[in-house]
Amino acid sequence: MIELTRLNGNPMVLNSDLLKIAEASPDTMLTLINGEKLIVRETCAEVMERVLGYRARLLAAVAEQLKSSGGWERTAAILSLDLANQYDLSTHPEANTPHRGR
């Protein structure tokens, strides 16, 4: 969630996952994935900074949670198993071709 300011000065909080397009025309108009349009006082660059900052904080919190619970190693191990199982490492002509349904 990011905090923005409507054109009339009222603050609002926006779920940044719903943001589809941000364009300057000359005011910043945000188009959400449902087609709704919002005009805000912040520039496109400021909106992008806030979205990236929010996502960075979110990922840092998840990484910290995984690290403290030992889930980091478990997640990495599961991911490496999944990637290894996607490819047939035999000498068949289709070697290195992803297999579906594994």
Side-chain angles (χ1 to χ4, degrees):
M1 303 289 276
I2 59 171
E3 188 171 333
L4 298 171
T5 310
R6 290 185 183 268
L7 201 55
N8 65 7
N10 290 338
M12 67 175 203
V13 179
L14 175 69
N15 179 345
S16 61
D17 291 334
L18 300 178
L19 189 56
K20 182 177 182 180
I21 300 170
E23 55 189 316
S25 61
D27 297 318
T28 303
M29 183 170 56
L30 307 177
T31 303
L32 306 183
I33 59 173
N34 66 0
E36 183 180 351
K37 296 187 183 293
L38 303 169
I39 298 177
V40 297
R41 289 187 174 183
E42 290 77 11
T43 65
C44 286
E46 290 171 318
V47 172
M48 189 170 62
E49 281 179 27
R50 292 181 188 188
V51 170
L52 293 175
Y54 168 72
R55 292 185 180 183
R57 288 188 305 275
L58 183 64
L59 288 173
V62 169
E64 188 60 37
Q65 181 81 17
L66 285 173
K67 191 186 309 180
S68 66
S69 69
W72 189 257
E73 293 82 8
R74 188 171 45 245
T75 302
I78 290 169
L79 180 60
S80 66
L81 286 173
D82 186 48
L83 289 174
N85 288 332
Q86 280 187 2
Y87 296 93
D88 180 2
L89 300 178
S90 68
T91 57
H92 293 291
E94 308 88 37
N96 298 330
T97 302
H99 290 270
R100 303 201 194 288
R102 277 195 178 180

